[in-house]
Amino acid sequence: VPDIAMWGAPGSGKTTFLYALDIALNRKQFGFTMTADDDPSEMLLINSGGMLAGGREFPTATLGIEHFQWSLYGRRRQTVSTGGIAQVVDQQQKIILKLADPSGELALRANLGDANRKKLITTLADADGIIFMFDPIREAEKGDAFETTSGLLHQLTRQVAQADPDNFDGKLPHHVAICVTKFDEPKVLETAESLRLLRYERDDLYQFPRVDDSDARRLLTSLCSVSSSGNSDLMLNSLDQHFYADRVKFFVTSAVGFYVNPSTNKFDRDDPQNLVKDTAGFTRSTNSRIRGPIHPINIVEPVLWLGGQKSRR
Ligand SMILES: Nc1nc2c(ncn2[C@@H]2O[C@H](COP(=O)(O)OP(=O)(O)OP(=O)(O)O)[C@@H](O)[C@H]2O)c(=O)[nH]1
Ligand SMILES: [Mg+2]
């Protein structure tokens, strides 16, 4: 069973991502249902729907590290080869999601001595998959993605190396889903548009724009070039250095998705944002609210991708 841990700056959208998972599974036919394996995970499932969809509120900032475990049950189309003949079959699949959701504060250098930081490093070191959240809004304003990433990578690498020095070859063994969050933000949408990366799916009722996974890295690179510190290209470089390229996949995501114009029941390019903010700038649960029904984008996909990888144990 692959263990998955999350990692990203404060306010990058980790907890909202988790809260949106169940709604995302219900919105689109992924063919998976989700059940909780313990009480806190069940509480999150019960509360998350009510909070995001009903109360239209964001979760509060995470303290320490929260651990959840869910099971996803479903069928997946898979190509199997029997006697050299490839066949597409529907296979029953169960994915156990063991997920750690840390406070982004632990990624900051100021909290190096925090006991939970040690725990975060251990959780990440032991995980098979990592969901890495890159918040383009925070990066444009604070520009600390490189600083927070590289410190953690150094500690993580040391821990993995020391745990198994004979087999360590300089790279981390994890699968990593690098998620650009807040795709619904006008700045991010505009950047994707100017790069001509927006795609529309023919069978999408709402005509939401999307960015293909194969273009996600390009968008991230471009968003990095407008970072306020000018250092975020270094972040991408250090991720490249520490992980195997064929174990990294990029996704462009949004937990709340775009606003649906009630009169047309479609995405409206002139009024896309599904968020109301009281304060300009990067956001906290207290100064932003969700505007309408949520339509998560690329929330299930990274989880299924990581969940489908083999555990190292
Ligand atoms: N535009 C947009 N904003 C989002 C989205 N998801 C989260 N946010 C904003 O980001 C804020 C922080 O989200 P959280 O999910 O709490 O972020 P976090 O990474 O868990 O933060 P910590 O627990 O403090 O590390 C929210 O209060 C929202 O204002 C999204 O999909 N789109
Ligand atoms: Mg959180």
Side-chain angles (χ1 to χ4, degrees):
V1 175
D3 283 6
I4 299 172
M6 303 182 100
W7 165 16
S12 54
K14 299 178 291 295
T15 308
T16 312
F17 183 100
L18 285 188
Y19 273 48
L21 199 53
D22 189 41
I23 298 179
L25 278 170
N26 288 318
R27 276 270 184 235
K28 219 169 132 183
Q29 288 309 315
F30 289 98
F32 280 88
T33 51
M34 189 171 168
T35 58
D37 293 345
D38 58 28
D39 289 344
S41 311
E42 183 175 74
M43 281 312 284
L44 190 145
L45 278 188
I46 295 170
N47 289 332
S48 60
M51 196 172 193
L52 292 186
R56 296 194 175 157
E57 282 171 58
F58 284 100
T60 49
T62 309
L63 301 170
I65 308 181
E66 304 221 54
H67 295 271
F68 302 101
Q69 186 169 325
W70 295 291
S71 297
L72 296 175
Y73 297 88
R75 306 191 74 83
R76 249 194 168 182
R77 304 220 123 197
Q78 271 172 339
T79 312
V80 291
S81 153
T82 31
I85 302 164
Q87 238 183 339
V88 179
V89 292
D90 245 2
Q91 273 185 340
Q92 184 69 34
Q93 200 180 10
K94 178 180 177 188
I95 296 176
I96 298 180
L97 269 186
K98 281 189 174 180
L99 258 161
D101 176 20
S103 158
E105 296 287 329
L106 298 174
L108 304 183
R109 216 154 25 112
N111 297 324
L112 270 180
D114 193 313
N116 273 320
R117 165 107 176 186
K118 263 212 151 78
K119 244 205 243 162
L120 171 62
I121 306 292
T122 304
T123 306
L124 288 166
D126 292 346
D128 300 292
I130 294 173
I131 300 180
F132 177 88
M133 306 294 236
F134 174 81
D135 177 352
I137 304 303
R138 180 181 173 98
E139 196 49 23
E141 280 159 17
K142 290 221 158 190
D144 59 358
F146 170 63
E147 196 191 312
T148 52
T149 308
S150 100
L152 263 172
L153 276 175
H154 285 309
Q155 286 185 290
L156 184 56
T157 308
R158 180 172 164 207
Q159 178 132 346
V160 170
Q162 287 183 340
D164 190 5
D166 294 339
N167 288 311
F168 187 72
D169 63 0
K171 295 242 189 221
L172 291 163
H174 306 73
H175 282 87
V176 191
I178 300 181
C179 298
V180 175
T181 60
K182 308 184 184 176
F183 171 44
D184 58 283
E185 288 281 339
K187 271 188 198 162
V188 186
L189 184 63
E190 279 156 27
T191 307
E193 192 166 40
S194 69
L195 294 168
R196 299 172 177 273
L197 299 181
L198 298 184
R199 303 280 177 273
Y200 299 84
E201 278 167 22
R202 203 184 293 229
D203 58 355
D204 177 4
L205 194 65
Y206 304 104
Q207 286 301 297
F208 291 134
R210 294 182 69 102
V211 174
D212 278 349
D213 301 343
S214 56
D215 291 326
R217 187 186 167 111
R218 259 190 80 202
L219 177 62
L220 176 55
T221 307
S222 175
L223 289 165
C224 283
S225 69
V226 296
S227 129
S228 73
S229 63
N231 281 337
S232 48
D233 54 330
L234 287 175
M235 175 203 74
L236 209 49
N237 290 350
S238 64
L239 288 169
D240 284 344
Q241 259 178 31
H242 284 92
F243 295 104
Y244 290 102
D246 61 351
R247 295 185 193 169
V248 175
K249 191 167 174 187
F250 293 81
F251 298 88
V252 177
T253 75
S254 168
V256 297
F258 295 103
Y259 183 65
V260 173
N261 184 327
S263 63
T264 58
N265 203 31
K266 288 204 174 358
F267 169 73
D268 181 350
R269 182 62 193 89
D270 297 323
D271 184 17
Q273 204 168 17
N274 200 11
L275 203 75
V276 189
K277 289 182 192 172
D278 307 337
T279 325
F282 92 92
T283 42
R284 290 258 51 117
S285 59
T286 41
N287 55 29
S288 56
R289 290 182 64 80
I290 300 164
R291 189 171 161 207
I294 76 165
H295 295 273
I297 298 173
N298 269 341
I299 298 298
V300 178
E301 289 83 347
V303 170
L304 287 185
W305 178 70
L306 287 174
Q309 308 299 330
K310 280 205 177 60
S311 169
R312 283 182 282 131
R313 276 168 287 275

